[in-house]
């Protein structure tokens, strides 16, 4: 999946666990080597590969600095790395917002955690069979593995032809051996079993906001996404978005 990350690549294998992390980088923040991935915690607490963007990253950085964390660079990958090492997966997912998919290896528990953002902006697919787990941003990456079952799911194909989509069933794909991590979910792998957990549920009883309140939220949401060390641009379509 080199086309997803033309700015760099990295590979890391754990010295004491059957684990390998690989990453292709599209550099947006922290353009130098200080933002390279896989990113290892300086005290050996774990390793991270991450695709996405954290909103409100400056506030998270400040909160971590107050707790004694020192940063080498400006990437939000490093912010996420220290947050996971300090707060753990569950607490970190409760504090962050943005568009992201990541794999975090916790060195203390020897567990690999996969997580996807609240509404599934960034993709994350996985295959799990007989004590083996593989995950990636595209299904094509998983199809390189000979043990992944690539038979088509006929029911999913029929739903796609009728509905134009397959995500009406969370985690569904059109291949037997590949699943999608649903939005707002994380998963823990202990080397034998993958356990999924839903960490976010959309509020269904939000009161009707005023125009001023909507404007404030819209300005805040847009400003949080205009952070980067590269030129920024925007396109506005005529659709719902």
């Amino acid at each position: 999946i080199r086309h997803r990350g033309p700015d760099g690549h990295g590979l890391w294998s754990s010295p004491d666990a059957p684990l390998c992390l690989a990453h292709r980088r599209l550099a947006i923040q922290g353009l130098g080597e200080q933002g390279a991935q896989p990113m290892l915690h300086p005290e050996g607490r774990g390793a991270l590969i991450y695709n996405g963007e954290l909103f409100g990253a400056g506030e998270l950085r400040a909160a971590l600095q107050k707790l004694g964390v020192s940063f080498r660079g400006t990437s939000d990958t490093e912010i996420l790395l220290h947050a996971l090492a300090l707060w753990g997966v569950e607490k970190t997912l409760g504090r962050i917002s943005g568009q992201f998919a990541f794999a975090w290896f916790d060195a203390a528990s020897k567990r690999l955690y996969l997580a996807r953002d609240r509404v599934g902006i960034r993709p994350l697919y996985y295959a799990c069979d007989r004590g083996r787990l593989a995950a990636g941003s595209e299904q094509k990456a998983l199809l390189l593995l000979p043990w992944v079952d690539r038979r088509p799911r006929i029911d999913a194909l029929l739903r796609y032809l009728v509905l134009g989509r397959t995500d009406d069933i969370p985690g569904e794909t059109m291949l037997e051996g590949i699943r999608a991590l649903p939005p707002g979910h994380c998963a823990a792998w202990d080397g034998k079993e993958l356990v999924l957990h839903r960490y976010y549920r959309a509020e269904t009883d939000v009161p009707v906001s005023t125009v001023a309140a909507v404007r404030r939220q819209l300005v805040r949401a847009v400003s949080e996404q205009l952070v980067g060390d590269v030129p920024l641009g925007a396109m506005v379509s005529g659709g719902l978005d």
Side-chain angles (χ1 to χ4, degrees), residues 1 5 14 18 21 48 60 67 100 113 119 121 132 134-135 146 161-162:
I1 53 175
S14 172
L21 300 178
L48 173 70
L60 283 171
L67 297 174
F100 57 82
Y113 293 91
V119 295
I121 299 174
R132 297 174 292 195
L161 293 174
V162 173

Side-chain angles (χ1 to χ4, degrees), residues 155-213:
D155 56 338
L157 177 60
L158 291 175
R159 289 203 317 280
Y160 178 77
L161 293 174
V162 173
L163 304 175
R165 54 186 293 185
T166 60
D167 58 356
D168 55 312
I169 299 180
E172 189 76 68
T173 76
M174 286 194 283
L175 298 177
E176 287 285 355
I178 297 178
R179 304 283 291 174
L181 187 67
H185 280 68
C186 65
W189 171 255
D190 62 2
K192 298 179 180 180
E193 184 181 12
L194 186 70
V195 178
L196 271 65
H197 168 67
R198 185 172 182 173
Y199 71 87
Y200 173 77
R201 293 182 182 273
E203 297 181 16
T204 58
D205 57 351
V206 179
V208 177
S209 300
T210 65
V211 172

Side-chain angles (χ1 to χ4, degrees), residues 90-172:
E90 184 175 355
K91 187 175 180 181
T92 296
L93 288 171
R95 296 191 63 159
I96 65 175
S97 65
Q99 47 179 303
F100 57 82
F102 68 76
W104 159 250
F105 176 65
D106 181 74
S109 66
K110 298 295 189 294
R111 279 181 167 83
L112 178 72
Y113 293 91
L114 306 175
R116 193 176 177 198
D117 62 71
R118 297 175 181 177
V119 295
I121 299 174
R122 296 300 172 103
L124 184 54
Y125 298 95
Y126 67 90
C128 185
D129 179 64
R130 299 179 184 179
R132 297 174 292 195
L133 174 72
S137 295
E138 292 190 10
Q139 297 184 57
K140 288 183 293 185
L142 304 182
L143 290 176
L144 294 174
L145 299 169
W147 54 268
V148 173
D149 188 346
R150 62 195 65 210
R151 289 177 298 165
R153 293 181 59 91
I154 302 303
D155 56 338
L157 177 60
L158 291 175
R159 289 203 317 280
Y160 178 77
L161 293 174
V162 173
L163 304 175
R165 54 186 293 185
T166 60
D167 58 356
D168 55 312
I169 299 180
E172 189 76 68

Side-chain angles (χ1 to χ4, degrees), residues 87 217 221 236:
W87 296 327
Q217 292 282 18
V236 180

